[in-house]
Amino acid sequence: MKVFCFYILMLCVQIGFAQKTFIFPKIKAQGASAEQFTPVNWTVIDQVYGDLNNDASDDLAVVFEFNKTIDETRVYGDNNTDIIKETQKPRILAIFFKNKSTGVYSLSTQNNDFILRSEEGGKLGDPLQQIAIKDQQLYLRFQGGSEWRWELGYTFKFENKDWFLTSAINLYFNQNSGDMTERVYDFKTRELFTTVGNLHRRDIANRKTSEVLYFSQLRTFKTFKKPWAWEIMPNVYL
């Protein structure tokens, strides 16, 4: 009986351990450099400086990556349902505003989901291509695929004390034939510009259209969890 009880106890421990979810660290609220914000067992893989809140001082955006791989389940399609499981290193996007007088950076937002991981780019490898700051906006760029490739770009702006998605681009093309569909979204004007044709013969082979974008409200990092998680139109994912 004691042996049986011990077996049940060990089984419960193993099940509990297997179901344990990964806990992201909380980024420090203030500091003087990206190094000071870097959690233990994490590494800075990209960082960029630039004015994000129109105060003429260089703010900071950083992408951190965990030093070990874990089994991570990611959403796709509806912003909530975790359906894609990968063994990969988690990533964090952190954005900081700089105090012009003291030089101290203060955390504006921490996002544990939006940055694609190294295993989410398909045969092309790591999909994270660029983070940049321009015109008080944060730009995030990704790409992936194999023969059929995709490129995704998102622009976020800090307004009314939150980070809003202001524009996006989604390019899907065949590397060999050049067949492509490009969608450019302007969420401020609620316009979608679509180009269908050939990547190599843009001037003569492409058909361009525009239409009204229908959505209830602007998305933020909180309401747009990650790339491929917003079905913005039937069978069209952003």
Side-chain angles (χ1 to χ4, degrees), residues 22-134:
F22 181 78
I23 299 176
F24 284 85
K26 185 176 177 61
I27 302 299
K28 288 176 55 178
Q30 290 187 324
S33 66
E35 288 72 25
Q36 290 186 8
F37 291 114
T38 307
V40 177
N41 295 323
W42 290 73
T43 301
V44 174
I45 62 170
D46 208 343
Q47 61 181 304
V48 62
Y49 295 88
D51 186 6
L52 285 167
N53 56 354
N54 199 28
D55 65 352
S57 61
D58 279 344
D59 304 308
L60 172 64
V62 185
V63 177
F64 302 101
E65 184 178 70
F66 192 50
N67 292 343
K68 300 178 182 179
T69 58
I70 66 166
D71 289 335
E72 190 177 30
T73 307
R74 305 272 281 160
V75 302
Y76 181 89
D78 66 359
N79 212 51
N80 294 307
T81 306
D82 295 336
I83 62 173
I84 298 178
K85 184 177 181 179
E86 298 280 4
T87 300
Q88 56 194 3
K89 298 178 179 180
R91 289 174 171 176
I92 295 173
L93 170 67
I95 306 173
F96 307 89
F97 290 141
K98 185 178 181 179
N99 185 303
K100 194 172 183 180
S101 60
T102 65
V104 173
Y105 292 99
S106 296
L107 180 66
S108 170
T109 190
Q110 173 182 342
N111 184 285
N112 302 331
D113 297 300
F114 201 86
I115 300 297
L116 292 179
R117 311 333 192 194
S118 63
E119 303 304 309
E120 294 182 299
K123 291 186 177 180
L124 286 185
D126 193 337
L128 178 58
Q129 294 300 301
Q130 182 188 39
I131 62 172
I133 295 174
K134 181 181 179 182

Side-chain angles (χ1 to χ4, degrees), residues 62-238:
V62 185
V63 177
F64 302 101
E65 184 178 70
F66 192 50
N67 292 343
K68 300 178 182 179
T69 58
I70 66 166
D71 289 335
E72 190 177 30
T73 307
R74 305 272 281 160
V75 302
Y76 181 89
D78 66 359
N79 212 51
N80 294 307
T81 306
D82 295 336
I83 62 173
I84 298 178
K85 184 177 181 179
E86 298 280 4
T87 300
Q88 56 194 3
K89 298 178 179 180
R91 289 174 171 176
I92 295 173
L93 170 67
I95 306 173
F96 307 89
F97 290 141
K98 185 178 181 179
N99 185 303
K100 194 172 183 180
S101 60
T102 65
V104 173
Y105 292 99
S106 296
L107 180 66
S108 170
T109 190
Q110 173 182 342
N111 184 285
N112 302 331
D113 297 300
F114 201 86
I115 300 297
L116 292 179
R117 311 333 192 194
S118 63
E119 303 304 309
E120 294 182 299
K123 291 186 177 180
L124 286 185
D126 193 337
L128 178 58
Q129 294 300 301
Q130 182 188 39
I131 62 172
I133 295 174
K134 181 181 179 182
D135 299 327
Q136 287 85 55
Q137 298 183 101
L138 178 68
Y139 293 78
L140 302 172
R141 299 292 182 264
F142 308 96
Q143 70 174 22
S146 54
E147 179 182 351
W148 279 97
R149 301 186 178 185
W150 49 265
E151 295 182 6
L152 295 169
Y154 306 92
T155 303
F156 287 87
K157 186 175 179 62
F158 186 75
E159 295 178 319
N160 299 320
K161 299 181 180 181
D162 207 347
W163 290 92
F164 290 93
L165 179 70
T166 57
S167 64
I169 183 171
N170 185 344
L171 173 63
Y172 184 61
F173 66 97
N174 185 289
Q175 176 66 15
N176 297 320
S177 68
D179 293 339
M180 60 149 245
T181 299
E182 180 185 61
R183 294 183 174 92
V184 178
Y185 303 85
D186 188 329
F187 296 103
K188 287 290 191 178
T189 62
R190 292 178 176 262
E191 292 179 287
L192 167 60
F193 304 93
T194 303
T195 302
V196 177
N198 192 282
L199 190 67
H200 307 313
R201 295 179 291 134
R202 283 179 173 266
D203 293 336
I204 61 174
N206 293 347
R207 178 173 58 88
K208 300 181 180 180
T209 59
S210 63
E211 58 189 292
V212 177
L213 270 176
Y214 294 97
F215 56 91
S216 58
Q217 57 187 356
L218 291 174
R219 296 292 180 106
T220 68
F221 279 126
K222 296 177 182 177
T223 57
F224 183 16
K225 195 167 185 178
K226 61 173 286 293
W228 306 122
W230 183 6
E231 189 177 12
I232 191 168
M233 295 183 294
N235 299 316
V236 177
Y237 296 89
L238 183 60

